Amino acid sequence: MNIHEYQAKQVLKSYGAPVAEGVAIMSADEAEKAAKSLPGPLYVVKSQIHAGGRGKGKFKELGPDAKGGVRLAKSIEDAAADAKEMLGHTLVTKQTGPEGKQVGRLYIEDGADIARELYLSILVDRTVGRVAFVVSTEGGMDIETVAEETPDKIVTVAIDPDKGVTADDVKALNAALKLEDEAAKDGEALFPILYKAFTEKDMSLLEINPLIVMENGRLRVLDAKVSFDNNALFRHPDIVELRDTTEEDAKEIEASKYDLAYVALDGNIGCMVNGAGLAMATMDIIKLYGAEPANFLDVGGGASKEKVTAAFKIITADPNVKGILVNIFGGIMRCDVIAEGVVAAVKEVGLKVPLVVRLEGTNVELGKKIINESGLNVIAADDLDDAAKKIVKAVSEG
Ligand code: ADP
Ligand code: MG
């Protein structure tokens, strides 16, 4: 789950991280009051969407000469005018895709005097099996470009989970970011705070780009992007409250209601599979035969008929889906339950695209019988390879 920048800053502030004063608003009428409550004389009006690159982004409705999604304003009137222009419009950034995202919230923040823009993120580094800081002096701009063109400017410091952030780690981070004097002292305080927030709140990513050194030599968190591990959200009702479903894929929201592991993808073959490993293998084999999966969907081990029905409906509701592959290995999951769910869903919503079903395992004969006797136009498959070939062929001919 992702949250907005202003929410991420609230979370970090509660741990003691230095962030600017700011007010989040959802309507333009609130802008003037919000700006008035800040010290000034510089105000920053920031679009709150779950995507980065807002500063360089463009509003679809406003034409190429309009300012971007993060605006500096030199007066309360200017800040209010910017807020009015931005709210409700569609911001297109490198990360939103060409369709962009509608800006429904703004964050009006105190403007900072920036001396240097740095990059800092914390993530789970799977190569070393540890939480790691990734830092660079080249913050503020596209970190992917830095990684590609000057990878030596990115430094990784992995943290020992037994020790937490040690004095040596602080030293390494301060050196990598070229922090001295006051800024180095701020770093010494900030790094453990960020690590604590990351681990306690079960974050999967914490990205601060930029972390700034201000003209007065102090550090400040100027942007914050946080993702949480969905599997640990049950431990954090305070974080769940921050969820903004208007930012999420409608199909993924529906799937989360039924506790389905679903991720929307760009291809045209809808997949219903049980078990994450089999789901990955199914996606791979579809690609091997030259097509692209429309989704990742793991119905899990002990799915009910209702859950399978919901899953099938989510797949068929996606207009990009030109064919469906059901690939079930019934170990704990019974093939007859899957078959009943598929038949029930098709009866409710109809079937307008080819459907290939491969069932194997517990109650497989009963499962096949239910499907065969349902009158559905199903293409049966013997194994995974055969199933993938058949669905790719059906879609390419359709
Ligand atoms: P994004 O990464 O989505 O473009 P940022 O929050 O990083 O959004 O803002 C983009 C740029 O705007 C920053 O790199 C910084 O130069 C400037 N900026 C953002 N917030 C402030 C602020 N409070 N004061 C001064 N400049 C800011
Ligand atoms: Mg940024």
Side-chain angles (χ1 to χ4, degrees):
M1 185 186 110
N2 298 324
I3 57 175
H4 289 293
E5 173 201 359
Y6 76 93
Q7 298 168 325
K9 284 177 171 171
Q10 279 163 9
V11 172
L12 296 179
K13 191 178 174 193
S14 74
Y15 280 86
V19 300
E21 280 180 61
V23 183
I25 62 169
M26 293 180 82
S27 89
D29 318 336
E30 303 166 69
E32 191 180 326
K33 187 167 162 242
K36 269 188 184 154
S37 74
L38 299 176
L42 188 61
Y43 307 88
V44 186
V45 187
K46 310 185 77 172
S47 310
Q48 299 298 295
I49 55 171
H50 287 185
R54 298 162 300 165
K56 288 186 180 157
K58 287 282 169 203
F59 283 99
K60 241 185 197 173
E61 298 88 352
L62 301 183
D65 297 329
K67 288 191 278 173
V70 173
R71 300 183 178 185
L72 302 183
K74 293 208 170 72
S75 68
I76 290 171
E77 296 71 47
D78 285 357
D82 276 327
K84 197 167 169 205
E85 195 176 282
M86 293 158 79
L87 262 179
H89 288 138
T90 314
L91 186 59
V92 180
T93 81
K94 262 188 172 175
Q95 292 183 9
T96 60
E99 67 282 4
K101 282 197 164 204
Q102 199 182 30
V103 177
R105 303 180 193 195
L106 295 173
Y107 190 46
I108 304 189
E109 192 180 56
D110 184 32
D113 293 320
I114 304 173
R116 290 204 293 140
E117 300 203 3
L118 314 171
Y119 177 90
L120 182 151
S121 64
I122 305 182
L123 43 78
V124 181
D125 186 341
R126 288 167 208 283
T127 54
V128 293
R130 288 187 170 176
V131 170
F133 282 79
V134 177
V135 298
S136 173
T137 51
E138 309 303 300
M141 56 184 221
D142 193 358
I143 194 70
E144 285 83 6
T145 312
V146 179
E148 226 166 82
E149 291 169 9
T150 47
D152 49 304
K153 290 194 169 160
I154 297 178
V155 176
T156 302
V157 178
I159 304 300
D160 182 335
D162 281 340
K163 296 184 184 143
V165 180
T166 63
D168 282 347
D169 296 332
V170 169
K171 224 168 149 187
L173 291 166
N174 272 339
L177 291 171
K178 297 193 166 65
L179 298 181
E180 284 163 359
D181 307 323
E182 286 289 303
K185 266 189 219 154
D186 281 351
E188 191 179 333
L190 179 63
F191 307 137
I193 281 174
L194 297 178
Y195 181 77
K196 188 163 189 254
F198 184 93
T199 48
E200 274 187 8
K201 294 291 182 194
D202 292 304
M203 295 178 185
S204 53
L205 176 72
L206 164 58
E207 187 178 53
I208 299 172
N209 187 24
L211 171 71
I212 57 160
V213 183
M214 294 188 286
E215 291 292 353
N216 67 8
R218 306 297 303 266
L219 286 186
R220 184 178 274 180
V221 171
L222 212 67
D223 188 10
K225 186 179 175 196
V226 174
S227 306
F228 296 91
D229 179 350
N230 286 355
N231 294 314
L233 279 175
F234 72 96
R235 297 205 281 217
H236 307 292
D238 56 325
I239 299 297
V240 174
E241 248 171 57
L242 304 178
R243 185 169 175 196
D244 179 359
T245 50
T246 64
E247 291 284 336
E248 297 176 16
D249 185 294
K251 296 188 290 298
E252 291 183 13
I253 294 169
E254 186 65 16
S256 72
K257 277 190 210 157
Y258 291 93
D259 206 18
L260 294 159
Y262 175 91
V263 181
L265 300 168
D266 296 331
N268 61 9
I269 296 181
C271 304
M272 187 162 91
V273 189
N274 68 325
L278 188 59
M280 297 297 280
T282 305
M283 287 163 43
D284 279 349
I285 203 161
I286 286 172
K287 280 174 180 270
L288 183 70
Y289 286 112
E292 294 286 330
N295 65 280
F296 169 100
L297 173 63
D298 171 10
V299 295
S304 62
K305 182 182 148 195
E306 285 68 35
K307 202 164 158 178
V308 172
T309 310
F312 203 83
K313 278 201 226 162
I314 290 166
I315 295 177
T316 50
D318 180 349
N320 296 324
V321 168
K322 301 293 180 242
I324 299 170
L325 172 57
V326 174
N327 183 24
I328 299 294
F329 186 85
I332 304 170
M333 188 74 223
R334 285 166 25 211
C335 293
D336 56 315
V337 173
I338 292 281
E340 276 178 3
V342 169
V343 171
V346 171
K347 282 201 176 128
E348 225 175 288
V349 297
L351 184 65
K352 297 172 194 76
V353 296
L355 168 65
V356 172
V357 176
R358 180 251 176 168
L359 294 175
E360 197 55 74
T362 310
N363 290 359
V364 61
E365 291 313 324
L366 184 54
K368 284 185 176 165
K369 187 163 172 257
I370 291 168
I371 288 193
N372 291 340
E373 288 174 2
S374 68
L376 295 184
N377 186 15
V378 176
I379 307 167
D382 301 326
D383 56 37
L384 180 48
D385 205 58
D386 183 44
K389 274 189 206 160
K390 280 180 171 157
I391 190 62
V392 171
K393 182 159 179 275
V395 167
S396 65
E397 285 170 354

